[in-house]
Amino acid sequence: MTAVDFSEVAVARGRQHAPDNVRFVVADILDWDPEQTFDLVLIAYLQLEQDLLRNVVKRAIDWLEPYGELFMIGHDRSNLEGGYGGPQVPEILWEVPTMKGWLDGLRLIEAGVVRRPVEAPEGLLFARDALIRARR
Ligand SMILES: C[S@@+](CC[C@H](N)C(=O)[O-])C[C@H]1O[C@@H](n2cnc3c(N)ncnc32)[C@H](O)[C@@H]1O
């Protein structure tokens, strides 16, 4: 498994929790390219402006093995009105209908908004995440 984040802090934190077979890379995903292809590419809570995110998704599709899966989960725009916490900047929140249109050459498995439980000071509340899975 290869894990990429451009934050040294995030990578250090990841290393504390991950098993030994995870290779961590400190790199900007906007210009990082792997030397191999993968069975699974996970894009998790990468909140970028739409054109930048689209570019990452386009390149991530190229990193998939045949039948490899692209799994994306991130803060959904509907969280602003109907969910708890998360970034409050609309420009970096995900929109499932738009992102479904970016899956060139992939077969959609599932796409939608899911609820994520959050233990808030007020009690158990729910955040709204965009979740998209597709297979090459
Ligand atoms: C909300 S955190 C999610 C962390 C982790 N992926 C997870 O799901 O728990 C967003 C992460 O994206 C990283 N990030 C944002 N822009 C990036 C970029 N252009 N290249 C690499 N990492 C980036 C940040 O450093 C941060 O650790």
Side-chain angles (χ1 to χ4, degrees):
M1 183 189 289
T2 303
V4 184
D5 197 297
F6 67 6
S7 159
E8 300 266 4
V9 173
V11 164
R13 203 174 284 178
R15 280 203 178 102
Q16 282 174 5
H17 297 285
D20 290 342
N21 61 352
V22 180
R23 182 176 76 101
F24 282 91
V25 179
V26 177
D28 189 336
I29 204 67
L30 298 177
D31 57 24
W32 178 80
D33 265 311
E35 289 150 8
Q36 61 177 112
T37 50
F38 298 98
D39 294 329
L40 173 71
V41 173
L42 167 67
I43 300 176
Y45 301 98
L46 184 66
Q47 307 298 147
L48 300 175
E49 287 174 13
Q50 213 173 81
D51 55 336
L52 298 179
L53 184 62
R54 182 174 191 169
N55 188 264
V56 175
V57 171
K58 189 169 186 289
R59 289 169 47 248
I61 290 171
D62 291 339
W63 305 338
L64 290 171
E65 293 272 334
Y67 302 102
E69 179 172 327
L70 178 64
F71 189 125
M72 301 192 282
I73 185 158
H75 300 285
D76 189 71
R77 191 170 286 208
S78 66
N79 195 60
L80 285 178
E81 300 295 332
Y84 175 77
Q88 300 296 302
V89 184
E91 292 75 21
I92 62 166
L93 295 172
W94 291 14
E95 288 179 305
V96 173
T98 303
M99 293 175 70
K100 273 168 68 178
W102 299 349
L103 304 174
D104 294 341
L106 303 188
R107 183 172 58 79
L108 186 67
I109 302 170
E110 63 173 305
V113 177
V114 295
R115 294 198 316 162
R116 173 169 45 83
V118 182
E119 283 186 22
E122 307 90 298
L124 187 66
L125 296 175
F126 290 90
R128 294 174 64 82
D129 290 343
L131 186 153
I132 299 166
R133 293 175 58 208
R135 191 177 298 276
R136 181 182 275 278

